[in-house]
Amino acid sequence: MSVTYPQGFRAAGVTAGFKDSGRSDLALVVNDGPSHAAACVFTSNRCKANPVLWSEQVIADGEVSAIILNSGGANCYTGAEGFALTHATAEAVADGLDISAGDVLVCSTGLIGPLFSRDKMMAAVPQAIAALSDQGGSPAAEAIMTTDTVRKEAVVERDGWSIGAMAKGAGMLAPALATMLVVITTDADLTAEQLDAALRKATSKSFDRLDSDGCQSTNDTVALLASGASGISPTEAEFTDALTEICTELAIALMGDAEGASHDLYITATNAASEQDAVEVCRAVARSNLFKTAVYGNDPNWGRVLAAAGTTNATFEPLTLDVAINGIWVCRDGVLAADPETIDMSPRGCDVTINLKAGDASATVWSNDLTHDYVHENSAYST
Amino acid sequence: MSVTYPQGFRAAGVTAGFKDSGRSDLALVVNDGPSHAAACVFTSNRCKANPVLWSEQVIADGEVSAIILNSGGANCYTGAEGFALTHATAEAVADGLDISAGDVLVCSTGLIGPLFSRDKMMAAVPQAIAALSDQGGSPAAEAIMTTDTVRKEAVVERDGWSIGAMAKGAGMLAPALATMLVVITTDADLTAEQLDAALRKATSKSFDRLDSDGCQSTNDTVALLASGASGISPTEAEFTDALTEICTELAIALMGDAEGASHDLYITATNAASEQDAVEVCRAVARSNLFKTAVYGNDPNWGRVLAAAGTTNATFEPLTLDVAINGIWVCRDGVLAADPETIDMSPRGCDVTINLKAGDASATVWSNDLTHDYVHENSAYST
């Protein structure tokens, strides 16, 4: 159900023909109101795809009536022709739904450089509109998949209102988002300002903590659309809590489906001087190719954890650190404290904890190991 | 010949038994003077190995009589016992040579955590002293190898004076050095201050531009020892030029022997607003696992070059960039400008040029692709 679980939304997923595989590749989600308040966060990559450049303008007034998403091409570094195609796509959706193109978000995902067919897009938009249904959440979630092996959908229910969401992304999950498209719908009645504040808080604790391979995409978008159809206005705290819950569930689902990964890494820094310090240390470990390959080899290489921590500016005394892997404190006060052979690395989940002994803040970053399959999938991606 | 090519130096390489392979693992280089001026640069990793902590004290007065280096163990995060072993090693060298322990640099390389045998070290130091010879450069270069497949030695000759060097390092070659040990000798007659200034300039343009896998070691050391035995004092500019030449030769040799690599990447940013901007862009590309895996698959994926550039704060207009791979300008003004199929990715060397159109500075960073063999070697390293 996902995005069509809350009241006031219809969705569809159809096949435009952008993908060689012949699988569905075009999703449309429409907010039937009564409210059309919305908020977005976009990639912080400065090289932004055309749909991101377009959608940044659409969201400026906090009103969105529909969002159209295609897989099979990023429409990034495709020049004026690419931007014109994004614009034309929004116009086609607007014409078919009798709304304004300025209220239509556009998202694309796929390879940078080549541009997908304008004719196919123009033929498929009316098909997507015709297929719109309040049961269309799952077909829409299916159509945005690229190298994803499973659909990512989630629902959070509260007293009289709910949030539904779909996501795609199975690689390039980096801080501040990456090749990740997420559409979140709610029938709660909130202003665009309230949605924006809640979305920034929720993503900062969820998607921004996901760092699969340190890379950052040109196309990432998280869109939050509110219909107000429940007639209920939760407090900002209540809504932020529910939104953080659904974003966290999806972030962990994205980690679990990262390209080629064989371990999910839960990297936690405790007793940090600040939450920012904790995130910095966790992210350094998450980006250490040496540690990530060791985990792939079921090697609890705590030395590589410390070597990664040592590249940061976080507050700590290097020789006092403790490190636990899967619950075993293998290093205490900077010295080997347990036989690494006693650590069971066979589960997919791998917990790494670094005790910084510098304060009382903490944070967790989610990542993956670096595997033969990662190398294979990413070396073969465009060929 | 390497470190024993300049006048005034003896060296040796012996087998202490730290390595399971039974290969030589202990190197000693002695400066017989008349001068003992020296300079060092160390890893900028805050988690420093015991020999680095020791050697930072030794170099403080700018005088060094000998340097002892072992492979088969990093002596890092080995606690008080590890520091005591470093100290005892320097004392043993000093006793055997009738010099001061405070003039003996110590370097170690290998796994973090476990400590190698004190007894083996104490037995091997006298053997190394007995083996000292003015022909000992190559045995010393052999003894510091770990996963290196070839000895790294170099000589630069000038009018009446010369520089010799040996290096080890085949992975973790990151900015500001990484699991890299380099000993450079010269018979030029220069003060410690002159050596320090020249070494910082030379390493900033050579070893600091080498970024194999983004990781940074706890043990990296570059030591420069000057005997003054030629009686010649070149100008600082002459010496810096020769030193930069030998450091660059060794840095490129290290790139060529990086663990598991199948391509050497020469990443250049041109027309940057500053050299720092150019280095930042090059380093971002060098650290993109997505680009590095694409290169491994012989895929000239220029979109991943731009996506990496977009994560930096360098001055440029994202949509105006040009990218060339192996001499073909595949992207001009942010749009596909040549058929990627025309780019020959089969040579080991791969040139990537990004024209930032923002100024007149430029820089090159050297890196490697990300391969199945990298994953294999680093997942199996300690097991």
Side-chain angles (χ1 to χ4, degrees):
Chain A
M1 296 287 280
S2 66
V3 292
T4 48
Y5 187 86
Q7 299 172 63
F9 293 92
R10 290 176 295 151
V14 299
T15 303
F18 304 131
K19 287 176 177 168
D20 291 337
S21 66
R23 294 173 71 173
S24 64
D25 48 18
L26 188 67
L28 179 63
V29 180
V30 175
N31 178 358
D32 289 321
S35 171
H36 296 94
C40 286
V41 292
F42 299 103
T43 181
S44 54
N45 197 310
R46 290 167 58 201
C47 295
K48 297 182 201 298
N50 285 309
V52 171
L53 297 172
W54 169 265
S55 296
E56 284 179 337
Q57 301 305 313
V58 169
I59 199 61
D61 68 357
E63 295 253 323
V64 169
S65 298
I67 176 168
I68 185 160
L69 313 93
N70 74 280
S71 51
N75 194 352
C76 182
Y77 282 101
T78 47
E81 187 187 351
F83 191 81
L85 177 48
T86 293
H87 189 171
T89 302
E91 290 280 2
V93 170
D95 286 351
L97 293 170
D98 198 20
I99 57 177
S100 161
D103 291 336
V104 180
L105 295 171
V106 180
C107 298
S108 298
T109 176
L111 204 62
I112 296 174
L115 186 57
F116 44 85
S117 157
R118 184 186 179 108
D119 289 347
K120 286 180 181 173
M121 179 63 89
M122 292 305 121
V125 168
Q127 293 173 30
I129 292 171
L132 283 168
S133 145
D134 60 7
Q135 303 294 312
S138 291
E142 182 93 24
I144 59 173
M145 289 169 65
T146 55
T147 54
D148 307 67
T149 64
V150 293
R151 269 199 326 260
K152 283 99 178 177
E153 300 177 280
V155 166
V156 164
E157 182 116 44
R158 290 292 190 267
D159 191 19
W161 58 277
S162 64
I163 307 179
M166 65 180 187
K168 70 81 40 184
M172 289 201 282
L173 307 167
L177 319 180
T179 305
M180 182 177 70
L181 302 181
V182 182
V183 179
I184 308 168
T185 57
T186 181
D187 49 16
D189 192 14
L190 294 164
T191 66
E193 291 71 26
Q194 290 172 316
L195 296 174
D196 185 71
L199 186 61
R200 284 174 199 286
K201 282 183 194 157
T203 55
S204 74
K205 305 273 188 187
S206 56
F207 299 119
D208 280 356
R209 298 285 170 91
L210 182 61
D211 193 335
S212 178
D213 68 2
C215 293
Q216 200 180 54
S217 154
T218 50
N219 288 61
D220 299 333
T221 303
V222 180
L224 170 60
L225 282 56
S227 70
S230 70
I232 295 171
S233 297
T235 65
E236 267 190 59
E238 287 169 336
F239 185 74
T240 300
D241 177 73
L243 190 64
T244 304
E245 183 180 324
I246 200 166
C247 288
T248 301
E249 182 182 336
L250 285 172
I252 288 175
L254 292 168
M255 169 173 63
D257 197 25
E259 283 171 356
S262 71
H263 286 83
D264 297 336
L265 293 172
Y266 298 81
I267 302 163
T268 301
T270 61
N271 298 312
S274 68
E275 187 174 351
Q276 189 181 328
D277 268 14
V279 170
E280 187 186 357
V281 168
C282 293
R283 212 182 278 297
V285 176
R287 292 187 172 187
S288 165
N289 281 353
L290 288 170
F291 180 63
K292 291 156 80 87
T293 47
V295 171
Y296 169 56
N298 288 334
D299 169 15
N301 198 314
W302 57 276
R304 292 175 177 178
V305 173
L306 292 174
T311 64
T312 71
N313 294 314
T315 300
F316 62 79
E317 286 299 321
L319 293 176
T320 68
L321 299 177
D322 299 347
V323 177
I325 299 179
N326 283 349
I328 307 278
W329 288 97
V330 64
C331 173
R332 283 209 190 265
D333 293 318
V335 182
L336 184 73
D339 181 355
E341 300 273 321
T342 62
I343 300 173
D344 180 10
M345 295 291 287
S346 61
R348 180 167 176 109
C350 176
D351 287 303
V352 178
T353 305
I354 307 114
N355 182 349
L356 297 175
K357 305 182 184 179
D360 54 13
S362 67
T364 297
V365 164
W366 306 305
S367 189
N368 295 103
D369 56 353
L370 178 55
T371 70
H372 283 299
D373 284 351
Y374 175 90
V375 173
H376 176 73
E377 291 195 29
N378 286 297
S379 60
Y381 182 76
S382 77
T383 52
Chain B
M1 296 288 281
S2 66
V3 293
T4 49
Y5 188 84
Q7 300 172 63
F9 293 92
R10 288 176 296 148
V14 298
T15 303
F18 304 131
K19 285 177 177 167
D20 292 338
S21 67
R23 294 173 70 174
S24 64
D25 48 17
L26 188 67
L28 178 64
V29 180
V30 175
N31 178 358
D32 289 320
S35 172
H36 296 94
C40 286
V41 292
F42 299 103
T43 181
S44 55
N45 197 312
R46 291 167 57 202
C47 295
K48 295 182 201 303
N50 285 310
V52 172
L53 297 171
W54 168 265
S55 296
E56 285 178 336
Q57 301 305 313
V58 168
I59 200 61
D61 67 356
E63 293 256 323
V64 170
S65 299
I67 176 167
I68 184 160
L69 313 92
N70 75 280
S71 51
N75 194 353
C76 183
Y77 282 101
T78 46
E81 187 187 352
F83 191 80
L85 177 48
T86 293
H87 189 169
T89 302
E91 290 280 2
V93 171
D95 286 352
L97 293 170
D98 198 22
I99 56 176
S100 160
D103 290 336
V104 180
L105 295 170
V106 181
C107 297
S108 299
T109 176
L111 205 61
I112 297 175
L115 186 58
F116 45 86
S117 158
R118 184 187 179 106
D119 289 346
K120 287 180 181 172
M121 181 63 89
M122 292 304 120
V125 168
Q127 293 174 27
I129 292 172
L132 283 168
S133 144
D134 61 6
Q135 302 294 314
S138 291
E142 182 95 25
I144 59 173
M145 289 169 65
T146 56
T147 54
D148 308 65
T149 65
V150 292
R151 271 199 324 261
K152 284 100 178 176
E153 300 175 279
V155 167
V156 164
E157 182 116 42
R158 290 292 190 266
D159 191 19
W161 57 279
S162 65
I163 306 180
M166 65 179 186
K168 67 83 40 183
M172 291 202 280
L173 307 167
L177 320 180
T179 302
M180 182 178 72
L181 302 181
V182 181
V183 179
I184 308 168
T185 57
T186 181
D187 49 16
D189 191 15
L190 295 164
T191 66
E193 292 68 30
Q194 290 173 316
L195 296 174
D196 185 71
L199 186 60
R200 286 176 197 285
K201 281 183 196 155
T203 55
S204 75
K205 305 273 188 188
S206 56
F207 299 119
D208 281 356
R209 297 286 169 88
L210 182 62
D211 194 334
S212 177
D213 68 1
C215 293
Q216 199 179 54
S217 153
T218 51
N219 288 60
D220 299 333
T221 304
V222 180
L224 170 60
L225 281 55
S227 69
S230 71
I232 295 171
S233 297
T235 66
E236 268 190 60
E238 286 170 338
F239 186 73
T240 301
D241 177 72
L243 190 62
T244 304
E245 184 181 323
I246 200 166
C247 288
T248 301
E249 182 182 335
L250 284 172
I252 288 175
L254 292 168
M255 169 173 66
D257 196 26
E259 284 172 354
S262 72
H263 286 83
D264 296 336
L265 293 172
Y266 298 80
I267 303 163
T268 302
T270 60
N271 298 312
S274 67
E275 187 174 350
Q276 189 181 330
D277 269 14
V279 170
E280 186 186 356
V281 168
C282 293
R283 213 182 278 298
V285 176
R287 292 188 171 186
S288 166
N289 280 353
L290 288 170
F291 180 64
K292 289 155 82 87
T293 48
V295 171
Y296 169 58
N298 287 335
D299 169 16
N301 198 313
W302 58 277
R304 292 176 177 177
V305 174
L306 292 173
T311 65
T312 70
N313 293 314
T315 300
F316 62 79
E317 285 300 321
L319 294 176
T320 68
L321 299 178
D322 299 348
V323 177
I325 299 180
N326 282 349
I328 307 280
W329 287 97
V330 63
C331 173
R332 283 210 189 264
D333 294 317
V335 182
L336 184 72
D339 182 354
E341 301 272 323
T342 61
I343 300 173
D344 180 10
M345 295 291 285
S346 61
R348 179 167 176 111
C350 176
D351 286 303
V352 178
T353 305
I354 307 115
N355 182 349
L356 297 174
K357 305 182 183 178
D360 55 14
S362 67
T364 298
V365 164
W366 306 305
S367 188
N368 295 102
D369 55 354
L370 178 55
T371 69
H372 283 299
D373 284 348
Y374 176 90
V375 172
H376 176 73
E377 292 195 28
N378 286 297
S379 60
Y381 182 77
S382 77
T383 52

